[in-house]
Amino acid sequence: MTDTVDLSPSPPPAETPRRAIGLFRLAVGLVQGAMVWWLIRSASGGRAFMPADAAPPTLAWPASQPVLYAALLLATVMAPIVLLGAAGRMRWRWLAMWGLVAAGVVGGFGAWEAMNQIAPEWRRSFEPSFPTVMASLAILFVAHHLLLPALQARRWIAPYPAYFDTAWKAGVQLALSAAFVGAFWLLLFLGAGLFRVIGVEALSDLIGKDWFAAPATTLSFAAAVHLTDVRDGLIRGVRTVALMLLSWLLPVMTGLVAAFLMALPFTGLDGLFSGPSATAMMLAAAAALIILINAAYQDGDPEDRPARPLRWAAPAAALLLTPLVALALWGLALRIGQHGLTPERIIALSCALVGAVYAGGYGWAAVATLRRRAWMAPLERTNVAAAVSVVLVILALFSPVADPVRLSINDQLDRLERGAVSADEFDYAFLRFDAGRAGQRALGDLARSDDAEVARRAADIQAVEERYQLGVDQTSVQTVTPVIQPWPADAVTPTDFLAPVALPDPRAQCDTADACLAQALDLDGDGADELVLAQVFSVHLFARDAAGAWTYQGEYRRLSCGPEEAPDARQLMRDGRLTPRPRRWPDLEIGGEASPLVDDTTCPIAAEAQVADTP
């Protein structure tokens, strides 16, 4: 007798005490909250929920290790969700194995991004980007609902009703649990507001503590998952109502897409592909049709077939998927041919390929229906095949197999090398700001190119610190010759102060005749004048350095008081109201850093306002 793989399902729910499952879920939520708290604290130097203008803290371990931190953060947030959903439905050893695999996969996504990308300077630590988070959610949801029905059915491929029941129920359950967490926090804030009315700040202080907020959020989510799981019939009822409502939107969406496609011969395709959003819109329309078709089909039970309008709308919508996806692929091909690959286009291409799987399978289901075979039955195999393709595509995108950044860099460099794009039109900014470490290495190679023009432009971009410093074309640094009026009017602005500059130098904003005023003042009493540059809402200070060049020293900021409009700093200079005010107390050096004295200067409060606020 040949050995067989043990794919035995979890024990029936009755054999696993509901109390034990609930305690397990609460324990998972508590551990998850503690881990989140620890990670937040490590990324904020022991202080969570820091103000945005606070100085960047010294990162503690593991936040000081970007790759490890990103992996732990993503695994901590994502992996417990599958443990909560699978508790009581898998044997405990399968549950433990699946939890480790899920944590490893999404943690690998975070580590891969951290290894290849460069975190912006405003981040205190490297955190996964939004696309990585969404890809992690997608692969866990799809893979989990491919695995769980197979384990329960003891088969590699489970009956389609099992996939439908598990996935759609989990979707409703997650939505309700997220809503429960939102309501939980809303009530906490409401309660804190009530206590503040009577002068009690204890609850407000408590919910502002990171050691309370993180575990409270994860525990409330775990409790919500368990509560919705106990009322299994209630969840199925909510799901039935939601699917019924969604299914009746299918004729509407089908009519809109059909009208759109019929209008194309009269409007032409030029406008359709003139911008990058057309492909995304068509893929979104295809995704909407897929969801609505499944809402009408549900688990395919012949006794639960929808009403006649839906039975005709579903195959019509399935046939419309093919031209939609074909147009999306055509649009992508045109954009790639014109401008080359980018990470966004590679991701869109991946979505379009998955859409092609759906379009082919759903089209065959529609043909089978028109031949009076089982109504849309091939849809079932298509959904399973498409789900597997989603998992494979996401794994490829977050690995060297089809890394979007690597493929984009190689394609862009190839276009430059073979002359498809000229040196002055090449997107150096993509390599500098959007392509991570690989892009920085490629830009360095271009800066050492034998082509002098390529090398010069690459070196210019290397010197740019932030994207906003680039010109509109994002291929070179935009320099501006300042147009600055002296004050008094008979004064003379030093010629070298008017040399061409680029952002972030404030003089680059002085591009019109009345944009800026400059006044010479000896602010530090050293006998040499500094220059005070007044713009509409700001005043900037420039002084000569040891080499005699004008260097930017900083910005003076006026305390904004009351609802009145801020005065024009240029007019204040004309009125003689920009004058030095010597400071009585000098800065104090604390830990090697200069710290100015923070006095009690505040905005004046009108007497009538004080009276109005008095209870």
Short mmCIF file of all heavy atoms in Angstrom, two decimals, residues 505-536:
data_model
loop_
_atom_site.label_atom_id
_atom_site.label_comp_id
_atom_site.label_asym_id
_atom_site.label_seq_id
_atom_site.Cartn_x
_atom_site.Cartn_y
_atom_site.Cartn_z
N ASP A 505 16.95 76.49 -1.58
CA ASP A 505 17.34 77.86 -1.26
C ASP A 505 16.14 78.78 -1.43
O ASP A 505 15.51 78.81 -2.50
CB ASP A 505 18.47 78.30 -2.19
CG ASP A 505 19.13 79.59 -1.74
OD1 ASP A 505 18.41 80.56 -1.50
OD2 ASP A 505 20.37 79.61 -1.63
N PRO A 506 15.75 79.56 -0.40
CA PRO A 506 14.56 80.42 -0.51
C PRO A 506 14.64 81.42 -1.65
O PRO A 506 13.61 81.87 -2.16
CB PRO A 506 14.51 81.12 0.85
CG PRO A 506 15.29 80.24 1.77
CD PRO A 506 16.36 79.63 0.93
N ARG A 507 15.84 81.78 -2.07
CA ARG A 507 15.96 82.75 -3.16
C ARG A 507 15.39 82.20 -4.47
O ARG A 507 15.03 82.98 -5.35
CB ARG A 507 17.43 83.14 -3.35
CG ARG A 507 18.01 84.00 -2.25
CD ARG A 507 19.49 84.21 -2.42
NE ARG A 507 20.25 82.99 -2.18
CZ ARG A 507 21.57 82.87 -2.31
NH1 ARG A 507 22.28 83.93 -2.71
NH2 ARG A 507 22.18 81.74 -2.05
N ALA A 508 15.29 80.87 -4.60
CA ALA A 508 14.74 80.28 -5.82
C ALA A 508 13.26 80.59 -5.97
O ALA A 508 12.70 80.45 -7.06
CB ALA A 508 14.96 78.78 -5.82
N GLN A 509 12.60 81.01 -4.89
CA GLN A 509 11.19 81.38 -4.96
C GLN A 509 10.99 82.84 -5.36
O GLN A 509 9.86 83.28 -5.56
CB GLN A 509 10.52 81.12 -3.61
CG GLN A 509 10.62 79.67 -3.16
CD GLN A 509 10.07 79.45 -1.77
OE1 GLN A 509 9.49 80.36 -1.18
NE2 GLN A 509 10.22 78.26 -1.24
N CYS A 510 12.09 83.58 -5.47
CA CYS A 510 12.01 85.01 -5.83
C CYS A 510 12.11 85.14 -7.35
O CYS A 510 13.12 85.59 -7.91
CB CYS A 510 13.13 85.79 -5.15
SG CYS A 510 13.18 85.61 -3.35
N ASP A 511 11.05 84.70 -8.03
CA ASP A 511 11.10 84.65 -9.49
C ASP A 511 10.24 85.71 -10.16
O ASP A 511 10.08 85.70 -11.38
CB ASP A 511 10.69 83.26 -9.97
CG ASP A 511 9.34 82.84 -9.40
OD1 ASP A 511 8.76 83.60 -8.60
OD2 ASP A 511 8.88 81.74 -9.76
N THR A 512 9.65 86.61 -9.38
CA THR A 512 8.88 87.72 -9.95
C THR A 512 9.36 89.02 -9.31
O THR A 512 10.03 89.02 -8.26
CB THR A 512 7.37 87.55 -9.69
OG1 THR A 512 7.12 87.50 -8.28
CG2 THR A 512 6.85 86.28 -10.34
N ALA A 513 8.99 90.12 -9.92
CA ALA A 513 9.55 91.41 -9.52
C ALA A 513 9.20 91.79 -8.09
O ALA A 513 9.99 92.46 -7.41
CB ALA A 513 9.07 92.50 -10.48
N ASP A 514 8.04 91.38 -7.59
CA ASP A 514 7.59 91.81 -6.27
C ASP A 514 7.57 90.66 -5.27
O ASP A 514 6.89 90.73 -4.25
CB ASP A 514 6.19 92.42 -6.38
CG ASP A 514 5.80 93.19 -5.11
OD1 ASP A 514 6.68 93.85 -4.54
OD2 ASP A 514 4.63 93.10 -4.72
N ALA A 515 8.32 89.60 -5.54
CA ALA A 515 8.24 88.42 -4.68
C ALA A 515 9.01 88.59 -3.38
O ALA A 515 8.58 88.12 -2.33
CB ALA A 515 8.75 87.19 -5.42
N CYS A 516 10.18 89.27 -3.43
CA CYS A 516 11.06 89.31 -2.25
C CYS A 516 11.67 90.70 -2.07
O CYS A 516 11.95 91.41 -3.04
CB CYS A 516 12.18 88.29 -2.39
SG CYS A 516 11.63 86.59 -2.66
N LEU A 517 11.89 91.04 -0.81
CA LEU A 517 12.65 92.23 -0.42
C LEU A 517 13.86 91.79 0.38
O LEU A 517 13.77 90.84 1.17
CB LEU A 517 11.81 93.18 0.43
CG LEU A 517 10.75 94.05 -0.26
CD1 LEU A 517 10.06 94.93 0.78
CD2 LEU A 517 11.38 94.91 -1.34
N ALA A 518 14.99 92.47 0.20
CA ALA A 518 16.21 92.15 0.95
C ALA A 518 16.70 93.41 1.66
O ALA A 518 16.77 94.48 1.06
CB ALA A 518 17.28 91.59 0.03
N GLN A 519 17.06 93.27 2.93
CA GLN A 519 17.56 94.39 3.73
C GLN A 519 18.85 93.97 4.43
O GLN A 519 18.93 92.85 4.96
CB GLN A 519 16.53 94.82 4.76
CG GLN A 519 16.95 96.02 5.60
CD GLN A 519 15.88 96.46 6.58
OE1 GLN A 519 14.86 95.79 6.72
NE2 GLN A 519 16.10 97.58 7.25
N ALA A 520 19.84 94.85 4.39
CA ALA A 520 21.12 94.58 5.05
C ALA A 520 21.04 95.02 6.51
O ALA A 520 20.68 96.17 6.80
CB ALA A 520 22.26 95.29 4.33
N LEU A 521 21.31 94.11 7.43
CA LEU A 521 21.29 94.39 8.86
C LEU A 521 22.46 93.69 9.52
O LEU A 521 22.79 92.55 9.15
CB LEU A 521 19.99 93.92 9.51
CG LEU A 521 18.69 94.60 9.11
CD1 LEU A 521 17.50 93.86 9.71
CD2 LEU A 521 18.68 96.07 9.55
N ASP A 522 23.08 94.34 10.49
CA ASP A 522 24.14 93.69 11.26
C ASP A 522 23.48 93.10 12.50
O ASP A 522 23.34 93.77 13.54
CB ASP A 522 25.22 94.71 11.64
CG ASP A 522 26.37 94.06 12.40
OD1 ASP A 522 26.40 92.80 12.46
OD2 ASP A 522 27.21 94.79 12.95
N LEU A 523 23.08 91.85 12.41
CA LEU A 523 22.31 91.24 13.50
C LEU A 523 23.18 90.73 14.63
O LEU A 523 22.72 90.67 15.77
CB LEU A 523 21.47 90.07 12.94
CG LEU A 523 20.38 90.45 11.92
CD1 LEU A 523 19.61 89.21 11.50
CD2 LEU A 523 19.43 91.48 12.51
N ASP A 524 24.40 90.32 14.35
CA ASP A 524 25.25 89.75 15.41
C ASP A 524 26.28 90.72 15.94
O ASP A 524 27.12 90.37 16.78
CB ASP A 524 25.94 88.48 14.92
CG ASP A 524 26.74 88.71 13.64
OD1 ASP A 524 26.80 89.87 13.18
OD2 ASP A 524 27.29 87.73 13.10
N GLY A 525 26.24 91.99 15.44
CA GLY A 525 27.13 93.01 15.98
C GLY A 525 28.59 92.81 15.67
O GLY A 525 29.45 93.31 16.41
N ASP A 526 28.92 92.10 14.58
CA ASP A 526 30.32 91.86 14.25
C ASP A 526 30.87 92.88 13.26
O ASP A 526 32.00 92.76 12.78
CB ASP A 526 30.52 90.46 13.69
CG ASP A 526 29.77 90.24 12.37
OD1 ASP A 526 28.98 91.13 11.99
OD2 ASP A 526 29.98 89.19 11.73
N GLY A 527 30.06 93.90 12.92
CA GLY A 527 30.50 94.93 11.99
C GLY A 527 30.25 94.60 10.54
O GLY A 527 30.50 95.44 9.68
N ALA A 528 29.79 93.38 10.23
CA ALA A 528 29.49 92.98 8.84
C ALA A 528 28.00 92.75 8.72
O ALA A 528 27.38 92.13 9.59
CB ALA A 528 30.27 91.71 8.47
N ASP A 529 27.44 93.27 7.63
CA ASP A 529 26.00 93.14 7.44
C ASP A 529 25.61 91.73 7.00
O ASP A 529 26.32 91.09 6.22
CB ASP A 529 25.52 94.14 6.39
CG ASP A 529 25.48 95.56 6.92
OD1 ASP A 529 25.43 95.72 8.16
OD2 ASP A 529 25.49 96.50 6.10
N GLU A 530 24.51 91.29 7.53
CA GLU A 530 23.83 90.11 7.00
C GLU A 530 22.68 90.59 6.11
O GLU A 530 22.37 91.78 6.09
CB GLU A 530 23.27 89.24 8.13
CG GLU A 530 24.33 88.52 8.94
CD GLU A 530 25.04 89.43 9.94
OE1 GLU A 530 24.38 90.24 10.59
OE2 GLU A 530 26.29 89.33 10.02
N LEU A 531 22.07 89.68 5.38
CA LEU A 531 20.94 90.02 4.53
C LEU A 531 19.70 89.30 5.04
O LEU A 531 19.71 88.07 5.24
CB LEU A 531 21.21 89.64 3.07
CG LEU A 531 22.10 90.61 2.28
CD1 LEU A 531 22.34 90.08 0.88
CD2 LEU A 531 21.47 91.99 2.22
N VAL A 532 18.63 90.07 5.25
CA VAL A 532 17.34 89.53 5.67
C VAL A 532 16.42 89.54 4.45
O VAL A 532 16.19 90.61 3.86
CB VAL A 532 16.74 90.37 6.82
CG1 VAL A 532 15.36 89.83 7.19
CG2 VAL A 532 17.65 90.34 8.03
N LEU A 533 15.93 88.39 4.07
CA LEU A 533 15.10 88.23 2.87
C LEU A 533 13.65 88.05 3.31
O LEU A 533 13.31 87.07 3.98
CB LEU A 533 15.56 87.02 2.06
CG LEU A 533 14.85 86.78 0.73
CD1 LEU A 533 15.25 87.84 -0.28
CD2 LEU A 533 15.17 85.38 0.19
N ALA A 534 12.80 89.01 2.93
CA ALA A 534 11.38 88.98 3.32
C ALA A 534 10.54 88.51 2.14
O ALA A 534 10.63 89.07 1.04
CB ALA A 534 10.92 90.35 3.79
N GLN A 535 9.73 87.48 2.39
CA GLN A 535 8.72 87.03 1.44
C GLN A 535 7.35 87.29 2.05
O GLN A 535 7.23 87.98 3.04
CB GLN A 535 8.95 85.55 1.11
CG GLN A 535 10.28 85.29 0.43
CD GLN A 535 10.57 83.81 0.24
OE1 GLN A 535 9.98 82.96 0.89
NE2 GLN A 535 11.49 83.50 -0.66
N VAL A 536 6.31 86.74 1.45
CA VAL A 536 4.97 87.07 1.93
C VAL A 536 4.77 86.61 3.36
O VAL A 536 4.34 87.36 4.23
CB VAL A 536 3.91 86.44 1.00
CG1 VAL A 536 2.50 86.74 1.53
CG2 VAL A 536 4.06 86.97 -0.41
#
